[in-house]
Amino acid sequence: MKIFLDTASIQELRQAISTGFVEGVTTNPSLLARQKSDKTVEGLLLEICKLQSGPVSLEVDEDREESMLAQARWFRQLASNIVIKVPLTPEGLNVCRILRSEGTEVNVTLCFSCAQGFLAAKAGATFVSPFIGRLEDSGGCGIELLRDLRSMMDHYGFSTQILAASIRNPRHVAEALQAGADVATMPFSVLFQLYAHPLTQQGLMLFRQDSQTKAPFVSS
Ligand code: G3P
């Protein structure tokens, strides 16, 4: 399973890349709006795409098919690793089909059911993004959705990759792994939480204490 970073922050991206684990980036209009930067959105994206050579998802924010398509075509010329994110709506899926026929990678976002994921796969999406955290916020079961999507993709031989999104904690990452998601996109904080376990910290402290009292490695 690949790890993508869900961010529009250059600072977070730089630090996360230094772990050696980040293989792509996802953004959305809310993440971009939160950036307090003197850069334009275009400038920000160019910098993100320069730092990260893997897929970088950029979401359209138009509703009508023609304007969505025009925006997507403008976005994709920004960098060769841009993936166009479209919503799971009739217009979004039509745009997905057209963009895919033009060779553009597409991430269909805001997926909350297996039936929706099926439509995204039939429209030829490169990625489909089930929103685990938001589904759970509304009483649904994230891992069940991921498992259903996995068996549907495998049973029918779809090549659409399952990109687990709206990940809020390490349990969601573990569930994405158990269900066989292809990618998990996570916030910066969750990436660093993956390293942590109280017993690792406790064990480290104990080893440090004991190493103060051990015999020297070499005699002086
Ligand atoms: O990739 C989609 C993700 O950013 C949504 O996360 O936490 O806003 O539900 P969240």
Side-chain angles (χ1 to χ4, degrees):
M1 184 176 80
K2 289 187 173 166
I3 294 179
F4 286 5
L5 196 71
D6 198 28
T7 194
S9 156
I10 300 294
Q11 205 188 346
E12 284 186 357
L13 182 59
R14 275 188 206 285
Q15 209 176 323
I17 283 175
S18 73
T19 64
F21 290 125
V22 176
E23 294 176 86
V25 173
T26 52
T27 65
N28 63 39
S30 313
L31 290 170
L32 283 163
R34 247 177 264 149
Q35 287 315 298
K36 306 251 178 302
S37 155
D38 49 4
K39 285 193 174 62
T40 59
V41 169
E42 182 182 349
L44 202 58
L45 280 155
L46 288 176
E47 201 166 343
I48 292 174
C49 291
K50 218 185 277 170
L51 287 171
Q52 174 54 241
S53 58
V56 174
S57 289
L58 175 56
E59 188 161 343
V60 293
D61 58 8
E62 297 284 344
D63 295 328
R64 288 183 315 109
E65 200 174 306
E66 300 72 39
S67 35
M68 224 187 255
L69 196 53
Q71 196 181 28
R73 285 179 174 145
W74 187 79
F75 284 167
R76 75 178 171 195
Q77 49 78 40
L78 290 175
S80 58
N81 52 337
I82 292 270
V83 173
I84 305 297
K85 225 173 168 184
V86 298
L88 213 154
T89 58
E91 296 78 12
L93 293 186
N94 281 343
V95 169
C96 172
R97 207 175 289 110
I98 296 167
L99 291 174
R100 293 298 291 128
S101 74
E102 295 172 353
T104 302
E105 309 287 12
V106 178
N107 176 353
V108 175
T109 190
L110 292 165
C111 172
F112 293 92
S113 75
C114 187
Q116 288 183 314
F118 167 56
L119 294 182
K122 274 186 90 69
T126 317
F127 301 102
V128 63
S129 294
F131 272 34
I132 305 313
R134 290 192 201 183
L135 184 63
E136 289 188 355
D137 290 346
S138 68
C141 178
I143 191 164
E144 204 171 281
L145 173 59
L146 290 171
R147 284 198 173 124
D148 288 350
L149 286 168
R150 178 75 282 150
S151 58
M152 182 265 294
M153 297 295 179
D154 292 348
H155 184 84
Y156 290 98
F158 288 120
S159 59
T160 300
Q161 296 178 55
I162 302 166
L163 192 163
S166 185
I167 281 190
R168 308 269 175 77
N169 52 52
R171 175 177 60 83
H172 286 158
V173 178
E175 289 179 354
L177 284 164
Q178 285 158 22
D182 299 287
V183 186
T185 189
M186 62 196 75
F188 178 79
S189 57
V190 174
L191 174 62
F192 284 90
Q193 281 169 35
L194 296 184
Y195 289 88
H197 192 283
L199 291 178
T200 306
Q201 282 313 111
Q202 199 181 310
L204 200 57
M205 260 168 55
L206 195 63
F207 288 151
R208 282 196 182 136
Q209 274 166 20
D210 289 345
S211 86
Q212 311 291 312
T213 57
K214 70 174 176 356
F217 274 115
V218 286
S219 50
S220 47

